[in-house]
């Protein structure tokens, strides 16, 4: 029997069905049903024969899903209904008992929490690989000078190791965020029922232990309404993808002939359909281009949840595609970032030429006056005047500065001193970069 006399409008059916995208939750759905059936039998809510029929039916279903032979039907609205329908076909009336003391409302959010926890773990693993790759690249280019930029104008020289390690620290913070996401996914919603709890003496702790959750949700209403852990994942993913977009942007710039700082490995480059000479940094461009899509998924899910009355509403079905697309996008972005950092060939000479422009040492010259007793603001003005004189007169900064400031100015204007004088904590001097590398290695464990 059904509550409905009329069939669903085909357009409504298409709108309402989530099977097309929630199929990928099946490993969690099957695992959840196994744990639930074991608990129901242990509590005497279903018989042991029912449990055994359910468990072997789930084994058969798992095999079908794995092999791609699972017989989906037009009426299967989502993966939960498809699995339960098939279980009843295989296990008969026992199969019809698996949904005792459970609702799709607590079932779906439990599957999604398990999925998100796995995604948060693999993001941490991928980030660890990326971080190790960055550290290795930094070690290979420890004392290679290049300009550091502000406003994309040459600002002060730095070592390439120092610049690369900036991405290490971003990734380290990202990894922390994903660890927090993993913790947020550790509270099991299952057992909340539709919203109010269930009419059976269930053992939620048993199910939580079976499924590897840390605890059970303390409030059934919150449990079926909660999607915070997805927001947390999307937020961590958005920040991480945004970090990678900055790396992508620098790869695009640095691999251009104008910069010429690096050559990308062929494995991460593509050609042009018309210009035979081209080697394009598409992967770097895609790191730039994909980040806003993850940010948009975060914003969209905030929109879905905003002002949503408690408890479950079908709006919440819209959580999944934002999550899934973000997980897939981030996985590719992290792989691309790692591949490009590992394989990039840097051009030491091009970078060092760009970093040997004396004007880049204007701050160092101003600091020389400060050390001789001039307040910084005044010395800034004095050096700005010298820079202007040099630029307008077509002279080098040394030609203008040495007669006025003495021989010490010449020493300041020699390249290695600009770098090694930045010996403050966290600065680019080699001793400080080595400290960073030690700290970075320690974080990698
Ligand atoms: N496919 C649904 C979703 O993703 C499952 C939960 C359906 N619950 C319900 N009461 N209709 O949210």
């Amino acid at each position: 029997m059904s509550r409905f006399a009329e069939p669903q409008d085909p357009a409504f059916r298409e709108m309402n069905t989530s099977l097309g995208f929630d199929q990928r939750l099946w490993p969690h759905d099957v695992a959840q049903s196994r744990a639930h059936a074991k608990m129901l039998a242990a509590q005497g809510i279903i018989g042991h024969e029912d449990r055994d029929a359910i468990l072997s039916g789930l084994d058969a279903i798992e095999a079908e899903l794995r092999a791609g032979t699972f017989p989906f039907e037009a009426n299967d609205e989502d993966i939960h209904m498809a699995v339960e329908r098939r279980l009843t076909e295989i296990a008969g009336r026992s199969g019809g008992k698996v949904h005792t003391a459970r609702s799709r409302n607590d079932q779906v959010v439990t599957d999604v929490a398990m999925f998100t926890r796995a995604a948060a773990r693999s993001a941490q693993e991928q980030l660890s690989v990326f971080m190790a790759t960055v550290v290795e690249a930094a070690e290979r280019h420890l004392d290679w000078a290049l300009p550091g930029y502000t406003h994309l104008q040459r600002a002060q020289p730095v070592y390439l190791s120092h610049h690369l390690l900036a991405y290490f620290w971003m990734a380290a913070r990202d990894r922390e965020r994903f660890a927090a996401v993993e913790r947020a996914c550790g509270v099991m919603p299952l057992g909340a029922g539709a919203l109010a709890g269930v009419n059976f003496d269930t053992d939620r702790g048993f199910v939580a232990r079976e499924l590897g959750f840390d605890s059970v949700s303390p409030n059934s209403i919150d449990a079926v309404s909660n999607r915070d852990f997805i927001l947390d994942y999307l937020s961590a993913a958005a920040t991480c993808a945004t970090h990678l977009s900055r790396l992508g942007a620098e790869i695009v710039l640095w691999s251009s002939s104008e910069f010429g700082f690096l050559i990308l490995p062929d494995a991460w480059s593509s050609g042009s359909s018309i210009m035979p000479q081209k080697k394009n940094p598409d992967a770097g461009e895609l790191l730039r281009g994909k980040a806003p899509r993850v940010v948009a998924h975060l914003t969209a899910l905030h929109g879905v949840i905003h002002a949503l009355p408690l408890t479950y509403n079908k709006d919440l079905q819209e959580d999944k595609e934002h999550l899934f697309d973000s997980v897939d996008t981030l996985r590719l972005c992290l792989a691309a970032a790692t591949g490009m950092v590992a394989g990039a060939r840097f051009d030491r000479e091009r970078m060092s030429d760009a970093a040997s422009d004396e004007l880049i040492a204007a701050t160092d010259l101003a600091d020389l006056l400060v050390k001789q007793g001039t307040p910084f603001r005044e010395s800034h003005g004095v050096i700005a005047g010298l820079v202007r004189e040099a630029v307008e007169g077509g002279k080098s900064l040394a030609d203008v500065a040495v007669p006025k400031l003495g021989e010490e100015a010449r020493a300041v204007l020699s390249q290695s001193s600009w770098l090694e004088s930045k010996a403050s904590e966290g600065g680019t001097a080699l001793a400080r970069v080595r400290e960073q590398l030690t700290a970075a290695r320690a974080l990698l464990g």
Side-chain angles (χ1 to χ4, degrees):
M1 274 296 277
S2 159
R3 160 82 175 72
F4 301 96
E6 305 266 334
Q8 286 182 344
D9 186 285
F12 170 61
R13 182 188 294 240
E14 188 180 340
M15 181 193 201
N16 194 39
T17 188
S18 54
L19 185 66
F21 50 85
D22 68 15
Q23 271 185 54
R24 66 192 286 179
L25 291 175
W26 75 256
H28 309 299
D29 207 66
V30 168
Q32 175 189 153
S33 287
R34 278 194 184 113
H36 185 64
K38 284 186 203 166
M39 181 278 289
L40 291 177
Q43 293 295 99
I45 300 168
I46 64 172
H48 288 98
E49 335 68 59
D50 291 324
R51 177 200 58 199
D52 295 343
I54 290 171
L55 292 180
S56 53
L58 288 170
D59 288 347
I61 286 170
E62 174 171 359
E64 288 177 345
L65 284 161
R66 213 174 273 291
T69 56
F70 182 93
F72 286 107
E73 281 184 5
N75 271 342
D76 294 338
E77 194 180 295
D78 54 30
I79 187 64
H80 325 293
M81 291 177 87
V83 169
E84 190 184 339
R85 190 252 317 142
R86 183 74 183 132
L87 185 61
T88 313
E89 283 167 13
I90 297 174
R93 296 193 70 210
S94 296
K97 296 187 181 180
V98 73
H99 210 51
T100 311
R102 185 175 72 177
S103 155
R104 268 193 299 156
N105 296 351
D106 58 347
Q107 182 178 5
V108 68
V109 66
T110 301
D111 283 359
V112 177
M114 291 167 75
F115 175 92
T116 309
R117 187 180 50 181
R121 280 187 188 147
S122 75
Q124 289 171 76
E125 283 160 20
Q126 272 194 296
L127 278 162
S128 297
V129 175
F130 173 70
M131 287 156 70
T133 306
V134 169
V135 164
E136 282 154 25
E139 281 167 347
R140 284 198 302 277
H141 305 96
L142 194 62
D143 59 351
W144 293 31
L146 83 160
Y149 293 83
T150 63
H151 312 269
L152 203 58
Q153 309 284 322
R154 289 174 188 166
Q156 294 181 339
V158 292
Y159 289 119
L160 181 54
S161 50
H162 192 50
H163 190 100
L164 290 172
L165 284 170
Y167 288 102
F168 177 94
W169 298 109
M170 292 180 225
R173 293 192 297 273
D174 290 331
R175 200 174 64 167
E176 287 277 310
R177 274 183 274 273
F178 282 111
V181 175
E182 189 183 336
R183 284 194 295 280
C185 294
V187 184
M188 187 187 76
L190 195 66
L195 78 159
V198 297
N199 296 320
F200 297 89
D201 178 25
T202 51
D203 182 351
R204 298 183 67 203
F206 173 94
V207 181
R209 281 189 297 282
E210 284 278 305
L211 296 176
F213 282 98
D214 306 322
S215 61
V216 302
S217 58
N219 180 308
S220 60
I221 290 175
D222 180 40
V224 295
S225 314
N226 176 28
R227 298 294 183 277
D228 292 3
F229 57 87
I230 310 182
L231 289 174
D232 293 346
Y233 177 91
L234 294 177
S235 170
T239 303
C240 180
T242 300
H243 288 153
L244 299 179
S245 80
R246 305 182 78 170
L247 175 65
E250 296 203 321
I251 287 172
V252 172
L253 285 171
W254 289 12
S255 63
S256 70
S257 318
E258 280 69 13
F259 272 81
F261 287 1
L262 67 79
I263 298 172
L264 276 178
D266 288 355
W268 291 99
S269 313
S270 39
S272 155
S273 59
I274 174 167
M275 297 164 282
Q277 85 284 9
K278 300 246 356 230
K279 181 170 171 186
N280 293 328
D282 295 37
E285 295 163 68
L286 287 166
L287 284 187
R288 275 192 324 215
K290 283 193 184 287
R293 151 181 185 154
V294 180
V295 177
H297 288 313
L298 169 63
T299 308
L301 188 61
H302 270 292
V304 168
I305 297 172
H306 169 82
L308 194 65
L310 303 176
T311 59
Y312 180 83
N313 298 270
K314 201 54 171 278
D315 314 42
L316 291 175
Q317 180 164 284
E318 289 294 311
D319 58 357
K320 285 172 220 44
E321 285 170 290
H322 297 302
L323 173 64
F324 295 162
D325 187 69
S326 300
V327 169
D328 296 339
T329 302
L330 189 69
R331 181 177 57 77
L332 291 175
C333 288
L334 281 166
T338 305
M340 287 191 284
V341 170
R345 275 197 293 120
F346 292 91
D347 187 328
R348 186 169 201 163
E349 218 170 304
R350 283 289 297 228
M351 291 191 304
S352 142
D353 285 351
S356 57
D357 174 353
E358 284 181 322
L359 290 180
I360 218 168
T363 314
D364 303 73
L365 220 45
D367 285 346
L368 175 66
L369 295 188
V370 169
K371 285 175 185 163
Q372 293 167 351
T374 313
F376 180 76
R377 193 46 58 210
E378 277 172 41
S379 76
H380 182 280
V382 171
I383 305 303
L386 294 180
V387 168
R388 183 164 170 182
E389 202 181 318
V391 170
E392 286 179 355
K395 296 187 196 152
S396 76
L397 186 54
D399 286 347
V400 176
V402 174
K404 297 203 170 122
L405 308 177
E407 275 307 311
E408 250 183 302
R410 196 183 304 282
V412 167
L413 287 174
S414 91
Q415 191 186 347
S416 60
S417 71
W418 314 334
L419 286 148
E420 285 307 308
S421 59
K422 302 292 185 302
S424 56
E425 254 186 298
T428 202
L430 277 182
R432 294 303 191 179
V433 174
R434 287 206 179 89
E435 276 175 10
Q436 259 190 87
L437 281 168
T438 306
R441 284 258 170 233
L443 261 191
L444 286 173

